[in-house]
Amino acid sequence: MTAPQASLRRGDPESQHTASTVRMRVVAVSVLMAFMLYLDRVCLGEIVKSNSFLGDFPDASKEEIGEVLGAFFFAYALFQVPSGWASDRFGGRVMLTFYILAWSLLTGLSGMAGTLGGLLMARLAFGVVQAGAYPTSSGVIRSWFHFRNRAMASSFVSIGGRLGGTLAPFLTTLLILQLSSWRYVLYLYSIVGIVAAAAYWIIVRNRPEDHPRVNANEIELIGKLDAAEPKTDARDILPMLGAIIQSRSLWLNSLAQFCLVFGWAFLITWLPTYLKEEKGVESFLGSLMVTGVLAIAIPGQLIGGWLGNRAVRSLGHRWGRIAPLSATCFLAALAYVGCSSFDSVWMIVACCAMVSLMTDIGNPTVWAFMQDVGGRNTAAVFGWGNMWGNFGAAASAIAVPRLMTMGRSIEGVSSDGQSLVFLTCAGMYMMAGLAILGTDATRLIRQPTTPQPTTQPPSTQPPSTTLE
């Protein structure tokens, strides 16, 4: 290796000055994609409590609304692996552009629903096409960043999603008041999403080598970890699924994702309604509270990206992926226990904010784990884990109103049933933290068919941080 090459691979200031920065544009448009992903997803939690929506569906029960909210997550979960495999097979650029365009059109169609059944069907289809977004984006990020930088890159994409989810309550409520109809809000979101799809197609390529504006220096900084791996095809489906099913680490990570998303989903599905109906908070103030709960977590993505990268360097690859996620799950569990202990709405909101913050600090590590173990099937593997997370979200959306009803009938539990909801969410986070302790990010679910070229000199890459 020549001195200039070694300099580039260490990423010194001179090499970074001469390298192109297309990878930053890829992250930027991925952030926009994630923003619209969550804006279109989370807005329904605010819409279903609005007077505009309730006026259109005056006979809707809480259980029926819960089924509409949960329908998205159920469909989203089921299609994670198929959509992830499609992205591995046909490329992230074409598939994610299609996904953004399709869910944006379905957002507009949701605004045309005349019955709850029609809205439920639209949300099912919406979940199907949104299912491929994060698995595909994860595969794209893997192609554009070295594994020691993936947690930070992933954190920026996650920030986009959290920004969309954070602004959704406030922005949706404000737009409903301004436009006088929840339907017009969805039409507006649909138009913005179509613009985002066009931007993604223009900027992104499947690999750095395919982009006309990427120079050799940037390719050196990114590395070529899987350049020799064959492209996945139809014959690869069964071997891929077999490898996924046999991975103990992936099962444990999937259990953790089911549990932690069960707890987190309360914040974006039922917290707005809970604040209005159980605590008597006025709608606009309630939307500001929910926005605050989600907004306080946005720095958590950056903290989590930095912490994830730092932990790998300090603790080694395996424990560096375990420690941040497990610790944040335990802290989120304690915060939900705090929710069950307070009557003050502001204290409950503060505890919910802590849950949100801890979840987002751990989130980049979840992404990095999937990228580490996925290899050439990263999008499908990410989809597998995300599938179980969204089964947890679907279960949460459907279970919360039933837990509230059950809680009212149990002696010793708060008469409004909130304690049972909060303690159930706390238990889910605790189980997630325990499951993560058994995972191992150093083992690919499938060994590469040909040796992978290294991206760093042996002397600068300690054995504890290399993939096995």
Side-chain angles (χ1 to χ4, degrees):
M1 180 183 300
T2 66
Q5 287 176 322
S7 174
L8 286 170
R9 294 187 179 190
R10 285 193 296 269
D12 68 18
E14 181 179 353
S15 69
Q16 301 219 18
H17 177 73
T18 59
S20 54
T21 57
V22 175
R23 65 195 184 281
M24 303 308 175
R25 277 175 264 168
V26 171
V27 168
V29 77
S30 298
V31 169
L32 175 62
M33 175 279 300
F35 180 90
M36 294 309 302
L37 180 81
Y38 266 80
L39 179 67
D40 292 345
R41 181 186 308 181
V42 173
C43 67
L44 200 65
E46 286 296 321
I47 284 172
V48 298
K49 74 177 181 68
S50 69
N51 293 331
S52 172
F53 180 87
L54 295 174
D56 285 346
F57 303 102
D59 299 324
S61 68
K62 289 291 185 297
E63 287 74 16
E64 288 172 332
I65 291 175
E67 288 168 3
V68 171
L69 292 172
F72 160 79
F73 294 109
F74 184 74
Y76 184 82
L78 281 179
F79 280 83
Q80 288 287 308
V81 174
S83 59
W85 175 85
S87 297
D88 287 332
R89 175 68 182 90
F90 300 108
R93 182 194 185 202
V94 64
M95 292 309 300
L96 192 44
T97 300
F98 166 75
Y99 294 146
I100 300 169
L101 181 62
W103 92 57
S104 298
L105 293 173
L106 282 163
T107 297
L109 275 175
S110 297
M112 300 178 185
T115 65
L116 276 183
L119 182 58
L120 186 145
M121 294 303 296
R123 292 295 287 183
L124 283 171
F126 181 83
V128 170
V129 294
Q130 275 212 343
Y134 268 176
T136 305
S137 185
S138 178
V140 170
I141 293 298
R142 184 181 188 275
S143 298
W144 282 85
F145 288 88
H146 189 279
F147 84 86
R148 290 191 297 190
N149 297 320
R150 287 174 193 160
M152 181 59 76
S154 297
S155 75
F156 280 104
V157 181
S158 295
I159 283 174
R162 290 300 191 254
L163 277 171
T166 295
L167 291 177
F170 172 75
L171 190 59
T172 301
T173 300
L174 181 63
L175 287 172
I176 289 174
L177 292 174
Q178 293 295 317
L179 301 176
S180 302
S181 174
W182 63 278
R183 298 181 188 276
Y184 295 149
V185 174
L186 294 183
Y187 299 155
L188 178 60
Y189 290 170
S190 176
I191 293 170
V192 177
I194 292 170
V195 174
Y200 198 88
W201 175 261
I202 291 168
I203 293 173
V204 174
R205 298 295 185 275
N206 294 330
R207 301 182 308 157
E209 295 87 346
D210 297 336
H211 203 292
R213 295 186 179 276
V214 172
N215 64 20
N217 289 348
E218 185 170 17
I219 290 175
E220 288 285 347
L221 288 172
I222 294 168
K224 304 178 183 179
L225 287 180
D226 288 327
E229 283 291 348
K231 193 174 185 178
T232 187
D233 57 28
R235 293 171 297 178
D236 191 50
I237 295 176
L238 291 180
M240 175 195 71
L241 288 175
I244 287 173
I245 291 170
Q246 293 176 49
S247 173
R248 180 178 66 91
S249 285
L250 201 51
W251 275 112
L252 288 170
N253 184 275
S254 299
L255 172 61
Q257 291 200 55
F258 177 94
C259 293
L260 72 88
V261 176
F262 183 103
W264 177 81
F266 171 80
L267 305 179
I268 63 168
T269 54
W270 284 111
L271 181 58
T273 300
Y274 168 79
L275 291 174
K276 179 181 180 180
E277 299 189 358
E278 303 295 333
K279 291 299 182 180
V281 178
E282 185 269 329
S283 291
F284 191 72
L285 177 58
S287 70
L288 289 177
M289 286 178 169
V290 176
T291 295
V293 164
L294 299 176
I296 199 170
I298 292 175
Q301 295 287 345
L302 291 176
I303 295 169
W306 174 84
L307 183 62
N309 289 348
R310 183 62 179 265
V312 166
R313 294 186 177 100
S314 301
L315 302 176
H317 195 171
R318 180 181 180 185
W319 287 101
R321 292 292 188 237
I322 288 172
L325 184 54
S326 186
T328 53
C329 285
F330 291 141
L331 290 172
L334 290 175
Y336 261 134
V337 171
C339 285
S340 69
S341 304
F342 297 113
D343 291 326
S344 166
V345 66
W346 287 106
M347 290 302 297
I348 292 172
V349 167
C351 289
C352 286
M354 180 59 69
V355 171
S356 182
L357 177 62
M358 290 299 106
T359 302
D360 278 25
I361 290 176
N363 196 52
T365 301
V366 175
W367 278 59
F369 173 86
M370 297 298 179
Q371 293 158 350
D372 291 345
V373 304
R376 68 181 187 271
N377 298 120
T378 290
V381 168
F382 189 99
W384 173 268
N386 213 23
M387 174 183 73
W388 290 102
N390 283 278
F391 278 144
S396 177
I398 294 169
V400 166
R402 291 165 172 81
L403 287 170
M404 291 289 288
T405 301
M406 186 185 305
R408 294 187 183 103
S409 65
I410 299 176
E411 185 178 355
V413 176
S414 176
S415 60
D416 57 14
Q418 67 182 31
S419 292
L420 185 58
V421 173
F422 291 139
L423 291 176
T424 299
C425 290
M428 287 293 188
Y429 268 103
M430 186 65 68
M431 189 179 299
L434 292 172
I436 288 298
L437 294 175
T439 60
D440 185 351
T442 67
R443 297 186 179 277
L444 289 162
I445 66 161
R446 302 173 70 185
Q447 292 302 315
T449 57
T450 56
Q452 296 182 7
T454 183
T455 60
Q456 295 230 341
S459 61
T460 64
Q461 184 168 308
S464 61
T465 61
T466 56
L467 292 174
E468 295 181 3

